[in-house]
Amino acid sequence: MSKYKIAVLPGDGVGNDVMEAAMLVLDKVGLDAEYIYGDIGWEFWRTEGEPLPERTIELLKNTDACIFGAITSKPKNEAQKELIPELRGKGLIYRSPIVRLRQMLDLYLNLRPCKAFKGNPLNYRDDIDLVIFRENTEGLYSGVEFRPVPDKLKQMLLETSKNMAKYKDVPNDELAISCRIFTRNGCERILRSAFEYAKKNTLKSVTVVEKPNVIRETSGMMVELARQIAPEYAPVELWKTNVDAMAMWLVKNPQNYSVLVSSNMFGDIISDLSAQLVGGLGFASSGNISDTYGLFEPTHGSAPKYAGQYKVNPTAMILAARLMLDWLGEKDKADAILNAVAAVIADEKIRTYDMGGSNSTIEMAQAIADKI
Ligand code: IPM
Ligand code: MG
């Protein structure tokens, strides 16, 4: 019996290309694992009306961790049109499988390291090394949304919030409401994850990125809690920055930051910005982590137009595999991958198209495997 059972979900689009590349590196590093492939993505939406089949959820429940490639998601109407004829008009609704998995498996921590590798021509600066802790299960992505707004809800809001008065005469079907739901527990666990990481790695600061001056109740709760728990993690300093200002500081002085912590949507946005500072989505990996399970993925999407061309940079996917090894406790193997990636980039020989070169996905992965 293998030490680990790992679910492998390539997904669709370039998900397949980069997964093949990552498996090449994982094979080289020699993890004692059984890899079990599962179904997810656009093809299963089209043909089964369900991009995340029940059998895949079962697979995840029976494995130690998962590596995940990428999947396509499209707006409601387009998704309808692509269903096979038998499934159309049945009221099926496409909801992003990755967002559902995060909620279903309570993968509350979205860990997104953004490290500049020396020699990467795409670096904004070479001294950036920050990690984003994005809350991954609640906030604006809770899925509690209304359009049209039910009369009952509108009435209740009119009774309980004076700021609602200006919407009194807007017809219900011309109103849309998306709830930004924070829980104390949700805030506390993401904050503690960030502080624990900073303390363990002797980092100077944790910056909480919110907007409490305007979004008083949700952002307010997050920042208040950060203030309360920060002293437990001294000498790590608590820094507080509004999300709009953070966008500016990240362009001005990204090298000053080490750990950023934020709610779901703000974390989503600042993580794309930060990824671009260190070479773009081809270098951005992430871990979706609960207390008992981890699902690791590149931050990039499925880029359907490049599917099957073996053109895209597999580094993000390979770094996601590295994050998985780290989370499993296979520190030496994780470090071996990180060092191999760093060495290949520093060599300045192998370059995928995003880096201005013409090497393929597999050539990049092979070069990394060869350094292990
Ligand atoms: C990400 C992506 C997803 C998100 C999309 C694909 C639903 O942007 O992982 O950052 O919004 O979380
Ligand atoms: Mg995103």
Side-chain angles (χ1 to χ4, degrees):
M1 249 227 345
S2 309
K3 187 166 174 195
Y4 303 107
K5 269 181 155 175
I6 307 289
V8 182
L9 306 181
D12 57 61
V14 298
N16 292 298
D17 305 27
V18 294
M19 188 61 81
E20 197 179 317
M23 291 311 288
L24 208 146
V25 174
L26 276 173
D27 281 345
K28 183 69 190 286
V29 90
L31 184 69
D32 181 12
E34 180 191 350
Y35 295 104
I36 309 166
Y37 283 74
D39 298 334
I40 194 167
W42 199 249
E43 197 45 35
F44 302 97
W45 161 253
R46 282 200 343 93
T47 57
E48 299 179 24
E50 176 51 87
L52 176 59
E54 194 52 43
R55 58 187 180 278
T56 304
I57 298 167
E58 279 308 302
L59 168 67
L60 299 191
K61 289 184 179 157
N62 290 307
T63 47
D64 299 298
C66 169
I67 40 173
F68 172 83
I71 46 183
T72 303
S73 55
K74 299 188 186 179
K76 213 158 100 181
N77 292 341
E78 254 174 84
Q80 276 302 317
K81 272 191 247 147
E82 293 198 23
L83 282 172
I84 55 170
E86 300 90 293
L87 292 175
R88 279 181 224 154
K90 291 200 163 167
L92 295 169
I93 293 172
Y94 185 89
R95 271 197 71 205
S96 163
I98 185 69
V99 174
R100 275 160 65 202
L101 278 175
R102 289 167 180 167
Q103 293 180 358
M104 196 183 290
L105 303 176
D106 200 27
L107 307 169
Y108 62 88
L109 160 61
N110 194 326
L111 180 69
R112 302 191 144 174
C114 295
K115 177 184 162 56
F117 289 100
K118 202 169 150 280
N120 185 350
L122 301 171
N123 286 345
Y124 180 67
R125 295 177 59 112
D126 288 336
D127 54 358
I128 300 169
D129 189 2
L130 57 87
V131 182
I132 293 163
F133 284 71
R134 165 188 175 191
E135 201 295 321
N136 214 19
T137 54
E138 46 186 45
L140 254 179
Y141 297 6
S142 306
V144 182
E145 307 195 82
F146 306 92
R147 181 164 62 108
V149 170
D151 216 40
K152 220 173 161 179
L153 176 63
K154 190 175 170 192
Q155 287 314 319
M156 211 200 68
L157 290 171
L158 284 166
E159 281 162 30
T160 49
S161 169
K162 64 179 185 339
N163 293 333
M164 187 67 192
K166 62 176 171 293
Y167 304 109
K168 184 168 175 287
D169 297 322
V170 180
N172 291 8
D173 61 356
E174 291 180 21
L175 267 180
I177 296 181
S178 302
C179 297
R180 189 177 201 245
I181 302 180
F182 281 33
T183 63
R184 186 194 155 94
N185 179 47
C187 293
E188 186 166 346
R189 61 190 184 172
I190 193 69
L191 288 164
R192 287 198 185 276
S193 307
F195 273 105
E196 265 154 36
Y197 177 89
K199 183 131 196 206
K200 191 166 146 219
N201 293 287
T202 55
L203 300 169
K204 184 174 162 76
S205 63
V206 168
T207 305
V208 56
V209 184
E210 280 299 324
K211 186 84 186 176
N213 55 337
V214 179
I215 321 177
R216 292 179 184 278
E217 304 311 334
T218 45
S219 287
M221 178 156 81
M222 178 80 100
V223 174
E224 245 168 61
L225 275 168
R227 231 188 247 119
Q228 277 168 30
I229 69 166
E232 294 174 39
Y233 300 91
V236 178
E237 295 171 17
L238 168 65
W239 297 357
K240 300 178 291 291
T241 306
N242 285 336
V243 62
D244 50 346
M246 191 73 236
M248 185 187 71
W249 291 120
L250 277 172
V251 174
K252 195 163 184 218
N253 290 322
Q255 73 284 3
N256 290 354
Y257 295 89
S258 39
V259 176
L260 307 181
V261 58
S262 193
S263 54
N264 209 337
M265 187 180 75
F266 292 166
D268 190 15
I269 296 170
I270 57 169
S271 60
D272 272 22
L273 170 51
S274 303
Q276 191 56 46
L277 299 176
V278 297
L281 291 177
F283 295 87
S285 59
S286 57
N288 303 272
I289 298 169
S290 74
D291 292 332
T292 53
Y293 199 76
L295 182 155
F296 300 83
E297 55 165 339
T299 305
H300 62 67
S302 65
K305 71 173 179 184
Y306 291 134
Q309 293 182 30
Y310 293 98
K311 193 175 159 146
V312 299
N313 191 340
T315 304
M317 182 79 242
I318 291 167
L319 289 173
R322 172 247 163 187
L323 273 182
M324 176 179 78
L325 295 181
D326 203 48
W327 179 77
L328 286 170
E330 299 286 340
K331 185 108 185 48
D332 293 347
K333 291 184 166 52
D335 288 349
I337 294 182
L338 185 65
N339 295 336
V341 167
V344 168
I345 294 171
D347 271 357
E348 302 189 9
K349 284 193 208 104
I350 303 287
R351 297 283 187 243
T352 42
Y353 86 98
D354 54 323
M355 300 169 84
S358 59
N359 288 111
S360 72
T361 306
I362 300 297
E363 283 165 345
M364 181 77 173
Q366 191 59 55
I368 292 168
D370 288 346
K371 294 275 186 197
I372 291 173

